[in-house]
Amino acid sequence: MDVKAIRGFNDVLPDEIGKWQYVEKAAREVFEGFGFSEIRIPILEPTELFSRGIGEATDIVEKEMYTFTDRSGNSLTLRPEATASMARAYLEHQLYTFDPVAKLYCIGPMFRYERPQKGRYRQFYQIDAEVFGVENPMVDAEVIVMLIHFLNRVGLEKLELQINSLGDRSCRPRYREELKKFLTSKSFQLCEDCQRRLQTNPLRIFDCKVETCQAAIADAPKVSDFICSECQKHFDKVKEYLEMAGLTYILNPRMVRGLDYYTRTAFEVVSYQLGSQNAVTGGGRYDNLFQEIGGLDIPGIGFAIGMERLVSLLPKEKEFVLRPDLFVAALGEGPFKEAYRIINQLRLAGVRAELDYESKSLKSQMRRADKLKARYALILGEEELKKGKAVLRNMATKFQEEIPMANLLETLKDRIQQNP
Ligand code: AMP
C-alpha cells in the first residue's frame, strides 16, 4: 500500500494499547478521587482562541499550529493544547454559575507542527487537568500532589519535580525589561529565532536549545529576584503545602514554561530516563488566560502530561497485553460446534475465551493458543465429549487434567484464581 500515515502522526497498535488504557484508567481513578470531572472538548477551534489565549509571541502560535480555512472561509485550528478550550467551555456554558470552582480533566490528541523526533510528534496525546476559580495556593499544591500521586501510581520512578514562580502582571514586566536589557548586551550570541524572541518574548530564550543561546543566558537575572511580595507569599505557601504533603521539589529559577499565559507557580516533572525530550509533564498557574479570551478575572491552574513519554517510561516488567483466559481447541465437527457454544457461554459470563475459526490440527490450534498467550486451553475431542469431559491444559506449566464439562465455568474460575 502506498498511502502512509502523515509524518509525526502515529498509530497506537494493539500490542501497545494495553499501556495506554492502563494509564488512562489510572488517571480517571486518581483524578476523580481528587474531585475532578471529565470534559470532552472539540478538536477544532476558532484560530483566535489560541492566538489570544496562548499568545501571539509563542512558538506554538507563531509556527506550530495546524491552521486552515474551512469551506465557509473561517480560520480553524487543530487544538495544540487543551487549556484554552477548557477555559472557553467553562465560559461558554457558564459553568461558574453552578459553582465558581471547576475541576476538570480531559484526555485526547493535540497537534503541533514541530520537528518530529523521539518523544516529539505532530499528533500527540495529553492528559490535562485544570482547576478554574481558585486563587488559594493550596490548590497549586493540590494539583501537584495529584500529579505526583498519579505518576507514582502508574509506576514511574526517578522523577524530579521542579518548581518556580514566574511573577504576575505587576512584577513580571519589570523582570522582562531587565532580562531584555541583559540579553541585548549579548545579542550577538543569540540564534536568529532568539534575536526575534528578544523583541517579542525574551523569556522564551530560556527554552532555546542552541548552545550559544544557553551560554548567553547562563548568568541572566533570575525571575525569583524580581517577584513582588504578593507573589513571594503565594510561592512560599505553595512550598509549605507541598512539604506538608511530603513532596520533595527542586527550585528551578530557569524554568519559564513556553506559553504566555502562565503566572506565579510553574512546575515540570522530568525523567532522567528520557533523554533530550525529558519533560513528562508541565503546568502552572495562569491568572490572565480568562481575561484574554473572555474578559473575566478568573484564576486557573493545571498541567498536561504527555502520554507517549509517560507510556515509554512504564515499568518494563509489567504485563499490559490482554491475554485470553481460555483457548478452546476442537477436534472434529461435533467438538467445533460445541466449542462455539461454550465460548459464547463463557464470554457472557466474563471469561475471555478464544477459538480457531478454521478446524485445523490440534498442533496448529495449540500454536495459536501459545501465540495469543492464552492462560488455559480446553481440548475437545469426540470421544471425551461423548463422556461429557474435556482436557484442561495450563499453558504455562503444561499440566493437563480431565474435567467434567458440566462444571467448566466453576473449574476455570477456580484455576484462574489460583494462577492469575
Ligand atoms: P506543554 O503543553 O508544551 O506544556 O507540554 C506538556 C507535555 O506534553 C510535555 O511535558 C510533553 O510530555 C508533552 N508534549 C508536548 N509537546 C509534545 C510533542 N510534540 N510530542 C510529544 N509530547 C509532547
Side-chain angles (χ1 to χ4, degrees), residues 112 114 119-121 124 126 257 279-282 304-306 309:
R112 293 183 197 169
E114 293 191 87
R120 198 203 271 162
Y121 311 102
F124 59 97
Q126 284 187 338
R257 310 277 306 131
V280 189
T281 163
I305 306 169
R309 293 185 199 174

Side-chain angles (χ1 to χ4, degrees), residues 302-313:
F303 60 75
I305 306 169
M307 276 288 275
E308 288 80 0
R309 293 185 199 174
L310 175 55
V311 161
S312 75
L313 289 172

Side-chain angles (χ1 to χ4, degrees), residues 190-366:
L190 301 178
C191 71
E192 213 175 293
D193 272 345
C194 287
Q195 300 270 359
R196 193 169 34 82
R197 289 177 185 135
L198 185 56
Q199 301 312 322
T200 57
N201 195 349
L203 268 75
R204 292 285 295 128
I205 297 175
F206 281 107
D207 292 336
C208 183
K209 296 269 187 282
V210 175
E211 239 170 69
T212 51
C213 299
Q214 283 294 322
I217 56 163
D219 307 313
K222 293 178 187 148
V223 62
S224 47
D225 293 331
F226 287 80
I227 61 176
C228 60
S229 61
E230 282 305 302
C231 286
Q232 187 63 54
K233 238 191 279 171
H234 185 97
F235 196 40
D236 289 342
K237 281 277 173 206
V238 174
K239 289 187 278 186
E240 188 186 324
Y241 285 127
L242 288 177
E243 284 155 26
M244 274 171 68
L247 290 194
T248 44
Y249 54 80
I250 295 215
L251 295 176
N252 179 356
R254 303 201 172 275
M255 186 229 308
V256 293
R257 310 277 306 131
L259 315 185
D260 260 5
Y261 56 55
Y262 286 114
T263 52
R264 296 194 166 172
T265 317
F267 54 92
E268 275 186 5
V269 178
V270 301
S271 161
Y272 292 104
Q273 289 166 269
L274 271 179
S276 76
Q277 300 298 317
N278 66 358
V280 189
T281 163
R285 176 168 279 283
Y286 42 87
D287 295 349
N288 300 339
L289 170 67
F290 283 92
Q291 273 291 353
E292 290 300 328
I293 65 171
L296 289 182
D297 233 341
I298 296 168
I301 179 154
F303 60 75
I305 306 169
M307 276 288 275
E308 288 80 0
R309 293 185 199 174
L310 175 55
V311 161
S312 75
L313 289 172
L314 291 178
K316 299 279 173 282
E317 63 284 359
K318 202 169 155 60
E319 175 97 57
F320 293 102
V321 181
L322 276 183
R323 300 167 56 186
D325 299 312
L326 184 74
F327 186 94
V328 184
L331 298 167
E333 208 173 316
F336 189 63
K337 266 198 189 146
E338 180 61 10
Y340 174 74
R341 196 186 63 79
I342 291 169
I343 61 156
N344 277 333
Q345 238 176 25
L346 291 174
R347 283 171 176 172
L348 292 182
V351 176
R352 229 175 291 131
E354 265 311 329
L355 85 174
D356 205 302
Y357 297 104
E358 309 295 328
S359 35
K360 293 185 197 139
S361 69
L362 178 62
K363 204 166 155 196
S364 83
Q365 292 188 60
M366 294 310 279

